[in-house]
Amino acid sequence: MRRTEDDTPWQEVVPVDPDIDLRDLYAATAGRLVAQLYGMTGDFAEAQDAVQEAFARVVAKPDGVRNATNPEAWLFKVASNIARSRHRRRTLFSRIARSGRLDSTDTTPPLSPDHVALVAALQRLSRAVRETVVLHHIADLPVAEVATVLGCSVENVKVRLHRGRRALAEFLRDADMENSHV
């Protein structure tokens, strides 16, 4: 077992490559990082989220991992800092909530049956069509901006929107018919 400068044990040190492919780095390290963070947090979902957030930060600013002596150790440090920050925020929020300083009335409006049906229908669409419909109709992005965000042509966005609207109309009509026979 090799150790890094901060004396953290690692099973394998990923070689440093200035042209490191982030996909390869993810494939080589994500599983171990999640396991290590799971051991640290005791919460598998939190461990996954922290590791994913660490990789998202690498994608946004790759110089940090590229300049690291040991990219896996660097990612562990970032992911563990993320997990610690989230834990501190949850602890603070819990303390404030228990102190009674928060209004306990639920300000979240209840979900209407229509909202639930729409979300269920959206989940039945393919990922690409669902993303397009949500970005255009829920996030209110113009077609050209949706195309830019999704990295496809304006024509492709229009086709996806047409297919999505047609499928949603059918799904929602089916859901309405099922509810009317109850």
Side-chain angles (χ1 to χ4, degrees):
M1 193 178 302
R2 296 190 51 188
R3 294 187 180 268
T4 61
E5 295 106 26
D6 64 350
D7 207 31
T8 305
W10 297 100
Q11 296 176 347
E12 175 186 333
V13 175
V14 176
V16 178
D17 178 1
D19 298 320
I20 194 165
D21 181 30
L22 297 179
R23 284 177 284 231
D24 292 342
L25 180 63
Y26 183 85
T29 63
R32 281 192 304 271
L33 290 169
V34 169
Q36 292 159 358
L37 267 286
Y38 179 43
M40 188 175 108
T41 63
D43 182 337
F44 189 71
E46 179 61 29
Q48 287 179 314
D49 286 347
V51 170
Q52 289 172 1
E53 177 65 25
F55 274 98
R57 291 181 184 184
V58 167
V59 169
K61 294 183 181 178
D63 287 343
V65 77
R66 287 197 171 111
N67 296 330
T69 310
N70 181 334
E72 186 171 359
W74 186 89
L75 282 162
F76 176 79
K77 189 72 159 174
V78 171
S80 62
N81 286 342
I82 291 166
R84 282 187 200 103
S85 293
R86 289 179 178 181
H87 176 72
R88 280 192 298 269
R89 272 189 242 119
R90 277 192 305 273
T91 302
L92 178 62
F93 180 77
S94 294
R95 221 178 308 140
I96 291 170
R98 282 192 309 269
S99 73
R101 289 186 282 176
L102 291 179
D103 184 11
S104 62
T105 59
D106 188 9
T107 59
T108 307
L111 295 178
S112 70
D114 290 341
H115 183 97
V116 173
L118 176 60
V119 170
L122 282 167
Q123 295 304 307
R124 293 176 65 185
L125 299 174
S126 70
R127 183 191 52 78
V129 171
R130 181 174 56 246
E131 288 175 350
T132 305
V133 169
V134 167
L135 287 173
H136 184 66
H137 290 292
I138 296 176
D140 287 328
L141 295 181
V143 171
E145 199 168 334
V146 173
T148 301
V149 168
L150 296 177
C152 63
S153 68
V154 169
E155 293 75 25
N156 196 322
V157 168
K158 290 178 181 179
V159 167
R160 289 178 187 178
L161 286 171
H162 175 74
R163 290 177 181 165
R165 288 184 201 114
R166 189 177 58 213
L168 284 173
E170 184 179 322
F171 296 155
L172 292 171
R173 185 176 39 252
D174 291 347
D176 192 39
M177 289 178 68
E178 286 175 14
N179 290 336
S180 66
H181 289 91
V182 173

